[in-house]
Every structure is written in C-alpha cells, then in structure tokens.
Amino acid sequence: MSSITYVLVHGAFSTAAAWGPVARELTLRGHRALAVDLPGHGLDARETGMVGISTDDDVAAVTDVVRALDGPVVLVAHSRGGLTATAVANEVPELLAHVVYVSAWCCVTGGPSTYVTPEPSALDALAPRLLTADPGEVGELRVDFGTTDPGALDALQEALLADGTRAELLAVLATMDRRESLAIDEDAVRVDPARWGRLPHTYVRLAADRAVLPALQDRFVAEADAVLAEPFTTAELATSHVGAQLRPGPLVDVLVGLTPP
C-alpha cells in the first residue's frame, strides 16, 4: 500500500462527488485518495450559501486536511480548484510532495481577472442563460443546473462533456452545487515562485476542453515555465472538462506515475 495520499480539490459549482470515480480508481490500485468539499459546497452547504466565503476559507479547509494526513501528499486540482491549490502551495509548500493541475487555473502574471481570452469558452457564453440572480445583489453566483431547456442542456453538454452522453451529463449536473463564491483573493492565488516553485508540479492538459480552453491551459504552463527554474511536467488527455473525472483511467495513469521527492 502506497503511503502517498492524493488530496482532490474540485472546481466551481462542484463538490467532492465529482472526484468519486477518480478516488475509486486510485483506491482500487492500492493508493489513498481523499476528495475535499470546499467550504459551502456539497455536504458543507450552508443556509447562507456562499456569501462571505473567501479564498482564506478554502485554503484553511484544504490545509487542515493536509496537516491531518501522514506521509506525502499530492494535491490535485480541477478547473477553478487550481486557484485554491496554488494558494495552499504558496502557504504550506512543506506539507506537499507534488501539485497537479487538471485543466485547472494556475495564475502567474496576474490574478484570474487578468486572464481574459479573445475567444470566450463555451461555459462563458452560456453563463448569462443560467444565472438566476444578479450576483451584485445577492453576493454570490447562483445558477440553474436543473434546467430542462434543451438549448441550455445542449450548451452545457458542449461546455462540459461533449464526449459523453446526455444521461452522463444529467448525472454530473445532479451532483453540482447551484451557488458559488464571488470572493477571490487575486494575490493569494498567484504562483509565488519562491514557495510554490519549490514543489514538483504537473499540468494535465485536456485537449477537448471547452470550459477551460486549451489555449488558456497552455498560457498557464508557459507563464509558469518562464519564471521558474523547473518547468511543468505535462501530460495530455483527449477528453472534455469533466470527462477526465468521469472516465478516470487515463488520469489515474498520470497520477500514479508521479514520483514525489
């Protein structure tokens, strides 16, 4: 039995349940895996929703989990979860053996608000159709993932799981939260070369991703490589944004191939 623990951090509107297939596959291969619900998500849902939850809260939640574990920890993040992973690695690099980004945000030259792409992602284009309240008025993002609108479902399929079935998409949407935090500490979620840069880091590029476009994934890697002595180790999977989690074999092949120091 490996002493490594893979700590899995979900993305926006997601929950620990999204990592279920990956955690199961890792466990069946003899490894330890723990998927975390970030504050306000999944089983940590609150009556007040995501209002008042910040980057600091996310970092504290993940750091508490990492501190409680024995042996080396590989921190694995998907999508917006990369912001949390970066902030955790900046804060406590000594607690981690490796940090892995799966089509995840890895900000280097600025905060996430500076990464505006010429081509909007399929998810960006869809967002206004799914919003159920003005974020400025309610203090959080609220969306309707329970929509029955065929056009919206087609757009969600394209954005999240173009290589999957409608039944698979509906199962994924059923696990997702309908609220997300607005509060992001743009400085905390930027790579600190002196601390984050001490860690081995891997980027898993999802070539068919329409939510975090491959061009943006490539930018994260190129910017990090430009300021760090050690470049990203990279891997590429020909799958969609959530396809890598839903059909976990190829991603788990990458994860178990990592060699912590």
Side-chain angles (χ1 to χ4, degrees), residues 7 33 39 58 78 90 119 122 127 134 147 166 170 177 189 194 197 209 215 219 223-224 231 258:
V7 174
D58 291 343
H78 179 244
N90 286 341
E119 177 191 1
D134 182 339
T147 181
R166 183 54 56 89
L170 292 175
D177 285 335
V189 301
D209 197 334
R219 179 180 171 187
E223 290 185 352
L258 302 175

Side-chain angles (χ1 to χ4, degrees), residues 148-239:
T148 58
D149 175 5
L153 287 172
D154 286 344
L156 281 165
Q157 189 90 54
E158 167 65 15
L160 299 176
L161 191 59
D163 53 354
T165 67
R166 183 54 56 89
E168 288 174 326
L169 174 70
L170 292 175
V172 168
L173 294 178
T175 71
M176 295 181 71
D177 285 335
R178 301 186 184 188
R179 296 181 173 189
E180 184 53 77
S181 172
L182 282 173
I184 297 174
D185 184 334
E186 299 235 338
D187 290 327
V189 301
R190 291 176 58 186
V191 164
D192 178 348
R195 295 179 64 78
W196 183 98
R198 289 160 36 188
L199 289 167
H201 39 277
T202 294
Y203 203 99
V204 182
R205 184 182 191 268
L206 303 186
D209 197 334
R210 293 291 298 145
V212 179
L213 298 176
L216 182 56
Q217 299 174 54
D218 293 342
R219 179 180 171 187
F220 293 141
V221 173
E223 290 185 352
D225 287 355
V227 301
L228 299 174
E230 293 295 327
F232 262 109
T233 298
T234 58
E236 181 169 313
L237 304 179
T239 189

